[in-house]
């Protein structure tokens, strides 16, 4: 198995990195290329950029962001938000992204996953699943998607997804630890790599998530203190987690 | 140094282009056979499906151009799917004939987690590179492995890598620099 991965997640809107609580009260916190490069230098294994507004205007600037990130950063990155068609996804990969992430569009039309996998290859297709109490939420977690989380994960795999990015909504931003029970169920049910998201507060939380998943997404905690990434890597190594030597 | 990156209608041409530009080379998107024949180094990149990639290569005559290059002993680098379609055949898409630049075939990974995505050590050097694949080469031309999977294969003037040097940070840049220095 490849080494466990740490993946900072940057929310972008209209070409800028933003911070807010559940996509509300967005504040500008910087340039996506600068922040992405800083995380890359601090030892990030991959990056995720999520366009959190995904309006027509924001989509255009998101493509520009993907293109500029690819110029400055030489580690893999995923782009998500507003991708509804194979054409949308192809444009993002041609700009230099390595994977696309789809969420509500896949829930609305699951066949999108097959279409993406057959043109881009499964390895480029991440399905993001927002979940609470074993159920899937859509539209930035504002709506009940009327689906069981584990059943939807299995369906994504059967349709050709390459990775699952699973965010536990009730943990997100709490720093109380990942939903290890759900992650363990997913590990036992699907054979895709899973990126755990929601709840990182300490190195021990991240180590526990990496024990049952292949990667850990780091969102709100890094936005408060970007320098934590380098320290986290040291602490994880001290806990016996085998991370990549980035030099 | 001129680097021709085969642009066959799919794949991550821009990422590869940017990586070579960072090293001071002159990369170009090659959609014509002539560009592939005359470059100092030709690169066959690749993400996506083997069937579509081979069709795109044939449509543009890039398959013949690569065969001519390797027959003439000129350096050629295949990356990820670019290594897999350079073999005699691949299991992907129900079986697709490859370019035959090196002997062997690509087979579906049978492992714990497929696709195999992430950084993994490549032996014998011990350096970690980034992988993202569901198929892998089986070839007598193997020169390096990663967790028992073919990571590098060399046959005559063709060098194929399963990992993505253009996305492998400093280790990847050093690898591409070595490719350029051998030209």
């Amino acid at each position: 198995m490849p080494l466990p991965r740490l993946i900072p997640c940057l929310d972008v809107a209209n070409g800028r990195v933003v911070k807010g609580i559940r996509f509300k009260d967005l504040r500008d916190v910087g340039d996506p290329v600068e922040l992405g490069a800083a995380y890359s230098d601090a030892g990030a294994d991959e990056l995720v950029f999520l366009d959190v507004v995904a309006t027509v205007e924001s989509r255009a600037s998101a493509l520009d962001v993907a293109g500029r990130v690819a110029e400055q950063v030489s580690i893999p990155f995923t782009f998500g938000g507003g991708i509804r068609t194979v054409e949308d996804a192809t444009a993002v990969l041609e700009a230099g992204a390595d994977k696309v992430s789809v969420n509500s569009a896949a829930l609305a039309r699951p066949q999108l996953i097959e279409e993406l996998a057959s043109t881009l290859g499964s390895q480029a297709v991440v399905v993001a699943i927002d979940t609470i109490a074993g159920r899937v939420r859509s539209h930035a977690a504002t709506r009940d998607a009327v689906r069981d989380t584990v059943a939807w994960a299995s369906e994504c795999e059967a349709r050709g997804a390459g990775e699952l990015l699973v965010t536990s909504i009730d943990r997100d931003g709490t720093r109380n630890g990942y939903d290890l029970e759900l992650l363990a169920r997913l590990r036992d049910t699907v054979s895709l790599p899973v990126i755990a998201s929601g709840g990182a507060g300490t190195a021990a939380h991240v180590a526990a998530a990496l024990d049952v998943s292949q990667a850990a997404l780091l969102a709100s905690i890094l936005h408060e203190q970007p320098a934590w990434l380098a320290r986290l890597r040291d602490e994880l190594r001290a806990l016996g987690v085998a991370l990549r030597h980035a030099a | 140094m001129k680097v021709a990156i085969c642009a066959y209608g799919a794949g991550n041409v821009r990422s590869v282009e940017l990586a070579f530009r960072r090293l001071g080379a002159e990369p170009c998107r090659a959609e014509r056979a002539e560009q592939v024949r005359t470059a100092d180094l030709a690169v066959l990149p690749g993400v996506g499906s083997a069937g579509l990639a081979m069709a795109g290569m044939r449509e543009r005559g890039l398959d013949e151009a690569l065969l001519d290059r390797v027959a003439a002993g000129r350096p050629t680098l295949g990356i990820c799917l670019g290594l897999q379609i350079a073999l005699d055949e691949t299991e992907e898409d129900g079986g697709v004939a490859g370019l035959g630049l090196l002997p062997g075939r690509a087979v579906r990974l049978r492992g714990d987690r497929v696709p195999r995505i992430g950084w993994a050590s490549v032996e014998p050097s011990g350096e970690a590179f980034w992988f993202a694949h569901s198929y892998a080469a089986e070839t007598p031309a193997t020169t390096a492995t990663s967790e028992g999977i073919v990571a590098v294969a060399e046959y005559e003037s063709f060098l194929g890598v399963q990992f993505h040097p253009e996305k492998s940070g400093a280790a990847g840049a050093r690898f591409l620099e070595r490719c350029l220095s051998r030209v």
Side-chain angles (χ1 to χ4, degrees):
Chain A
M1 288 251 280
L3 298 165
R5 287 168 283 156
L6 298 180
I7 309 180
C9 176
L10 298 113
D11 290 343
V12 298
N14 299 304
R16 300 288 294 174
V17 178
V18 294
K19 185 165 75 174
I21 298 161
R22 293 250 56 87
F23 310 144
K24 291 195 190 95
D25 304 319
L26 299 178
R27 271 195 301 123
D28 187 322
V29 293
D31 176 60
V33 180
E34 276 172 35
L35 283 168
Y39 285 135
S40 172
D41 291 344
D45 295 302
E46 292 178 16
L47 299 170
V48 169
F49 294 88
L50 291 179
D51 181 5
V52 293
V53 291
T55 55
V56 174
E57 300 76 36
S58 190
R59 284 282 309 139
S61 58
L63 262 189
D64 173 64
V65 167
R68 289 192 296 124
V69 169
E71 279 167 17
Q72 300 298 325
V73 174
S74 59
I75 59 167
F77 68 97
T78 301
F79 222 100
I83 292 167
R84 291 183 185 84
T85 64
V86 170
E87 290 70 35
D88 292 340
T90 303
V92 169
L93 294 196
E94 279 178 357
D98 301 277
K99 307 180 225 172
V100 294
S101 168
V102 291
N103 188 334
S104 303
L107 285 163
R109 200 171 65 82
Q111 210 197 327
L112 174 64
I113 301 170
E114 275 138 316
E115 294 168 7
L116 293 172
S118 65
T119 18
L120 313 174
S122 289
Q123 86 295 329
V125 184
V126 181
V127 179
I129 302 177
D130 291 337
T131 174
I132 187 164
R135 308 282 294 171
V136 181
R137 307 282 294 177
S138 74
H139 297 84
T142 58
R143 293 188 210 165
D144 184 357
V146 204
R147 280 176 186 271
D148 174 78
T149 303
V150 176
W152 174 233
S154 295
E155 183 176 340
C156 292
E157 177 173 38
R159 288 183 181 273
E163 239 174 350
L164 302 176
L165 164 53
V166 180
T167 301
S168 303
I169 293 304
D170 50 341
R171 304 286 176 126
D172 210 14
T174 64
R175 304 194 188 174
N176 288 333
Y178 292 84
D179 185 345
L180 299 175
E181 201 180 312
L182 171 68
L183 295 169
R185 278 183 70 206
L186 289 171
R187 173 199 58 197
D188 297 340
T189 314
V190 298
S191 64
L192 298 177
V194 171
I195 303 167
S197 162
T202 66
H205 292 154
V206 178
L210 291 175
D211 202 36
V212 284
S213 312
Q214 285 62 53
L217 197 81
L218 304 167
S220 58
I221 187 155
L222 282 186
H223 302 166
E224 298 295 329
Q225 37 181 342
W228 189 57
L229 181 59
R231 215 161 61 235
L232 173 65
R233 292 182 71 84
D234 292 341
E235 288 175 21
L236 285 171
R237 284 210 182 88
L239 290 170
V241 179
L243 294 173
R244 155 180 91 103
H245 290 277
Chain B
M1 192 165 309
K2 296 232 187 289
V3 179
I5 304 161
C6 296
Y8 49 80
N12 57 342
V13 175
R14 185 161 190 269
S15 298
V16 176
E17 201 178 346
L18 290 168
F20 277 106
R21 197 170 295 154
R22 280 193 282 268
L23 295 171
E26 290 171 64
C28 75
R29 285 167 180 260
E31 290 189 56
R32 289 181 293 110
E34 195 51 28
Q35 294 168 292
V36 172
R37 287 201 179 92
T38 56
D40 299 307
L41 173 68
V43 182
L44 179 56
V47 292
S49 113
L52 290 175
M54 279 305 293
M57 291 288 291
R58 285 208 190 90
E59 212 171 278
R60 294 166 177 80
L62 301 180
D63 54 338
E64 292 295 333
L66 282 180
L67 287 165
D68 292 348
R69 263 194 87 88
V70 174
R74 311 206 54 205
T76 303
L77 170 67
I79 298 173
C80 192
L81 183 68
L83 161 61
Q84 295 169 18
I85 62 171
L87 295 157
D88 293 321
E89 57 174 335
T90 165
E91 268 183 12
E92 202 182 334
D93 293 331
V96 174
L99 296 164
L101 298 175
L102 76 167
R105 59 201 297 263
V107 297
R108 173 112 188 139
L109 284 174
R110 284 167 215 80
D112 185 23
R113 301 277 147 184
V114 178
R116 177 173 180 258
I117 297 178
W119 297 79
S121 174
V122 170
E123 313 307 335
S125 81
E127 271 189 302
F129 294 89
W130 193 72
F131 291 81
H133 59 126
S134 301
Y135 293 80
E138 282 183 354
T139 170
T142 305
T143 55
T145 58
S146 174
E147 305 180 295
I149 293 159
V150 175
V152 184
E154 282 189 73
Y155 189 77
E156 295 173 350
S157 67
F158 180 84
L159 171 66
V161 291
Q162 182 55 63
F163 53 82
H164 285 276
E166 77 281 11
K167 288 288 180 171
S168 293
R174 285 193 295 273
F175 174 85
L176 291 177
E177 201 142 47
R178 286 198 295 277
C179 291
L180 288 172
S181 71
R182 282 166 44 160
V183 172

